Amino acid sequence: MNPRWTIAALLVAGLAGCWATKKGFEIPGQAFGCPVGDSRVSSMDDLVKQKVTSEGKRTTIQATEMRCSRSGDLLKIDANLNNDSSTVKRIAYKFRWIDAEGMRAWEEENWKPVLMYENSIS
């Protein structure tokens, strides 16, 4: 085989691999690995606004990021919370599992308490 064709073939294969694995590539119906259905999510802020519901008034603690990954049938969710306050805050969180139609897909979870230290991200 001509060395030129070999180099060209390797270059094309390498570029195809880069396009297939480019950063930001998402499966349809997902954003940052999290299921979003038909919702339009174009940024991390959009995803957080769609997925996070706050109860009570916490102006210093905000959800800033969320990423999901699958391990077999399990969905792993990583979320970052930011405490802009200069004091320690006690919060609690829980996940509410819903299906594609918006109905509860799992039993209600218990609240999980967390201490958020001043000017920190958890």
Side-chain angles (χ1 to χ4, degrees), residues 10-113:
L10 290 173
L11 183 61
V12 169
L15 288 175
C18 290
W19 285 322
T21 60
K22 72 177 184 174
K23 188 173 183 173
F25 178 77
E26 292 288 349
I27 297 171
Q30 293 187 357
F32 302 96
C34 299
V36 293
D38 295 333
S39 300
R40 189 168 169 86
V41 175
S42 59
S43 69
M44 182 62 70
D45 288 338
D46 290 345
L47 177 65
V48 170
K49 285 177 188 171
Q50 181 192 28
K51 296 292 183 183
V52 175
T53 302
S54 297
E55 294 183 14
K57 298 199 185 242
R58 289 275 181 208
T59 57
T60 60
I61 297 180
Q62 299 293 323
T64 56
E65 289 186 27
M66 179 179 291
R67 298 198 190 295
C68 303
S69 60
R70 289 200 177 270
S71 178
D73 289 340
L74 299 177
L75 180 65
K76 178 183 175 188
I77 302 172
D78 291 318
N80 285 355
L81 300 174
N82 188 5
N83 179 9
D84 288 336
S85 172
S86 60
T87 60
V88 175
K89 299 289 183 180
R90 182 183 308 252
I91 66 165
Y93 72 93
K94 68 179 175 178
F95 290 100
R96 200 171 279 143
W97 300 99
I98 57 172
D99 62 16
E101 287 80 36
M103 301 297 292
R104 280 205 180 123
W106 199 254
E107 296 175 16
E108 191 72 21
E109 288 190 2
N110 293 326
W111 288 97
K112 297 165 193 74

